[in-house]
Amino acid sequence: METEKFNILYVDDEEDNLRIFKASFRRQFNIFIASDTHIAKEILQTNDIHLIISDQRMPEKTGVEFLEEIVTDFPDVVRIILTAFSDTTDIIRAINKVGIYRYLTKPWDIDDLTMTIKSAMNNFMLKRQNKDLIVNLQIINEELTKTNEDLKQRNKELDEYVYRISHEVRAPVSSILGLFYLLKNHENNSDFTTIQNYLHLIEQNIIKLDVFIRSVLQYSATKNFESQIEEVDFDKLINECVKEFFPYGINDKIKIEKDIRISQPFLSDVGLLKTIFRNLLENAIKYAKSTNSPNIINIQAHSTEKGVAISFADNGIGIPKQYQSKIFDMFYRANDYSNGSGLGLYIVKLAVERLNAQISLESEEDKGTTFFLEIPCATA
Ligand code: ADP
């Protein structure tokens, strides 16, 4: 704090003293004067006073009484009492109850008072710095505690992730190895169909492994994705995602219905949107009902006040109520209908969080599932 910004309030009922004090110190400090304690309180309410120098003998109350009254509301203000020698009992009370910094005897000597004010100023600055340091330390401490909690949680997730990955990889690898040894040791007269069956099972396990590894890579890419915001052409984006599934029966066994009504420019991360749409489409295909004719995936999108609302509805096998709250968890699978990794919707959740979006679902067993997305427009 610079000297000229140090604000001193001088309280004294004698106008001459006020004038002399102001004249003596106004060049070095910001001086406020009050001829009674009412005026002094008003000044305290409206100004950031750092030091109060109060006369002890005043008509309506003593300086010590005045300081006692204001100490709770202004605890940081440094307090000095000016007094005659005879007031020692009051001064002891002031030191004990109000924590005055110094008391000076009247009439004051200018050099003495200057030194006392400067030392009070240093005291005030140290106290304020200390207070700031404590506040900063508390903030840093809270941040550290939070980071620590986050790290603990991440560590737990990482452990779980590593365990699950090794488990998910080991299962098909063990099956492949087992089948491979069966083939290797098969009797020469084994028939062609048996060998074909073994090969088919090996192929299934390799596909499972491949699906799993691709999901893990997709998860890692989504997690470390560098966001790139651009204007989204929804129709084009949906068409691109749908086309990727042509080899998997879209256009043939599965019909796509689209109703895209985007009336305002929409900015978002196309990469993350693609990740979400691909996974939802893939699930709608994977969990289609074999008895359906046709299987339908209905995609609707429209502009909202904050961005875009989009839904993906299928008439597939549906998700039983008791599993619906878990399907976004890592590695969670609600059935064994497919070779899924249980990572698809977890990746969707990750991408949704990165877009500050919301996802929800409605599903009925044997009737179908609809996923609803509310995606806010990003800022460029
Ligand atoms: P998976 O690799 O098993 O498909 P996901 O994380 O993508 O994993 O989905 C989790 C589970 O949610 C799936 O195992 C499936 O049971 C259920 N599920 C997801 N989407 C659908 C859907 N459209 N229809 C029926 N079930 C679904």
Side-chain angles (χ1 to χ4, degrees):
M1 185 191 296
E2 292 161 43
T3 307
E4 66 265 24
K5 288 197 181 140
F6 197 63
N7 298 331
I8 301 175
L9 169 61
Y10 182 65
V11 193
D12 197 322
D13 61 309
E14 287 175 47
E15 295 284 347
D16 282 351
N17 285 351
L18 291 175
R19 223 174 305 118
I20 296 168
F21 184 86
K22 188 160 187 169
S24 313
F25 293 104
R26 76 185 155 79
R27 276 186 208 86
Q28 287 166 279
F29 309 105
N30 277 345
I31 303 297
F32 296 79
I33 49 172
S35 55
D36 64 48
T37 56
H38 298 289
I39 301 174
K41 280 182 187 168
E42 272 169 30
I43 294 174
L44 276 167
Q45 299 289 354
T46 45
N47 296 278
D48 183 20
I49 297 296
H50 306 128
L51 167 66
I52 301 174
I53 302 175
S54 176
D55 185 25
Q56 165 67 349
R57 291 277 168 94
M58 290 185 287
E60 89 272 33
K61 61 182 70 147
T62 66
V64 172
E65 282 165 349
F66 164 61
L67 293 180
E68 261 179 354
E69 279 173 11
I70 55 111
V71 71
T72 323
D73 288 341
F74 305 96
D76 296 336
V77 182
V78 185
R79 296 168 286 273
I80 291 177
I81 284 278
L82 291 178
T83 178
F85 275 119
S86 55
D87 297 326
T88 30
T89 337
D90 276 339
I91 296 311
I92 289 168
R93 183 168 137 229
I95 292 171
N96 290 336
K97 282 195 89 175
V98 195
I100 59 163
Y101 177 65
R102 292 275 155 80
Y103 73 91
L104 298 174
T105 46
K106 281 173 99 175
W108 43 264
D109 166 79
I110 187 151
D111 292 335
D112 229 24
L113 192 50
T114 309
M115 266 179 48
T116 307
I117 290 175
K118 287 199 167 152
S119 127
M121 193 171 90
N122 285 337
N123 182 282
F124 178 84
M125 277 158 49
L126 278 176
K127 265 195 191 160
R128 188 164 268 192
Q129 279 167 4
N130 254 352
K131 214 171 169 183
D132 289 350
L133 276 175
I134 287 171
V135 170
N136 282 342
L137 264 178
Q138 270 167 348
I139 293 171
I140 292 171
N141 214 12
E142 274 163 26
E143 280 169 5
L144 270 177
T145 313
K146 200 176 159 295
T147 313
N148 211 11
E149 289 302 317
D150 278 359
L151 277 174
K152 270 190 198 159
Q153 180 59 25
R154 280 182 196 200
N155 221 4
K156 211 173 132 212
E157 278 173 16
L158 196 67
D159 278 353
E160 157 108 358
Y161 187 59
V162 171
Y163 170 78
R164 294 301 301 255
I165 285 190
S166 0
H167 183 265
E168 295 289 324
V169 172
R170 271 223 70 181
V173 167
S174 303
S175 300
I176 293 167
L177 263 180
L179 289 160
F180 174 76
Y181 287 130
L182 276 176
L183 263 180
K184 201 172 156 193
N185 300 326
H186 85 277
E187 290 164 17
N188 280 340
N189 59 358
S190 284
D191 64 295
F192 182 67
T193 324
T194 312
I195 294 176
Q196 283 284 74
N197 278 343
Y198 287 156
L199 286 175
H200 176 71
L201 288 172
I202 288 178
E203 186 189 17
Q204 288 301 306
N205 277 295
I206 290 176
I207 291 173
K208 196 169 178 181
L209 208 53
D210 183 48
V211 167
F212 184 75
I213 290 168
R214 274 190 287 130
S215 294
V216 171
L217 288 175
Q218 204 191 8
Y219 161 75
S220 162
T222 310
K223 214 168 168 182
N224 306 314
F225 204 79
E226 199 139 310
S227 224
Q228 221 177 327
I229 304 300
E230 57 194 285
E231 188 167 343
V232 183
D233 181 340
F234 257 90
D235 222 15
K236 186 166 158 249
L237 180 62
I238 301 276
N239 284 341
E240 275 173 16
C241 293
V242 166
K243 255 191 208 155
E244 292 177 21
F245 292 98
F246 278 180
Y248 303 94
I250 278 197
N251 229 13
D252 174 17
K253 292 188 289 265
I254 294 165
K255 297 275 168 260
I256 297 280
E257 294 172 354
K258 265 189 319 162
D259 184 9
I260 312 287
R261 296 172 200 207
I262 305 297
S263 51
Q264 297 152 28
F266 177 72
L267 298 177
S268 193
D269 190 311
V270 173
L272 290 174
L273 289 178
K274 267 190 181 167
T275 301
I276 297 172
F277 298 169
R278 276 191 198 124
N279 277 294
L280 294 182
L281 277 170
E282 189 177 331
N283 281 349
I285 297 166
K286 276 196 302 196
Y287 303 110
K289 273 198 324 194
S290 52
T291 48
N292 269 348
S293 173
N295 283 294
I296 293 171
I297 302 175
N298 184 292
I299 305 168
Q300 301 199 4
H302 65 266
S303 295
T304 61
E305 203 183 311
K306 289 187 179 160
V308 164
I310 180 159
S311 61
F312 288 77
D314 63 57
N315 58 346
I317 61 169
I319 307 166
K321 268 254 160 321
Q322 68 268 32
Y323 303 139
Q324 289 179 14
S325 60
K326 300 190 187 126
I327 55 170
F328 291 98
D329 292 354
M330 196 187 252
F331 298 116
Y332 189 81
R333 305 192 57 221
N335 58 51
D336 291 322
Y337 281 76
S338 75
N339 279 330
S341 62
L343 272 176
L345 288 182
Y346 180 72
I347 293 169
V348 167
K349 185 176 85 170
L350 218 66
V352 163
E353 278 167 6
R354 293 206 53 179
L355 292 172
N356 288 322
Q358 304 284 337
I359 188 162
S360 56
L361 78 144
E362 275 171 15
S363 184
E364 204 176 321
E365 244 182 306
D366 227 28
K367 291 245 166 71
T369 305
T370 306
F371 285 94
F372 301 94
L373 288 154
E374 295 274 344
I375 310 168
C377 186
T379 40

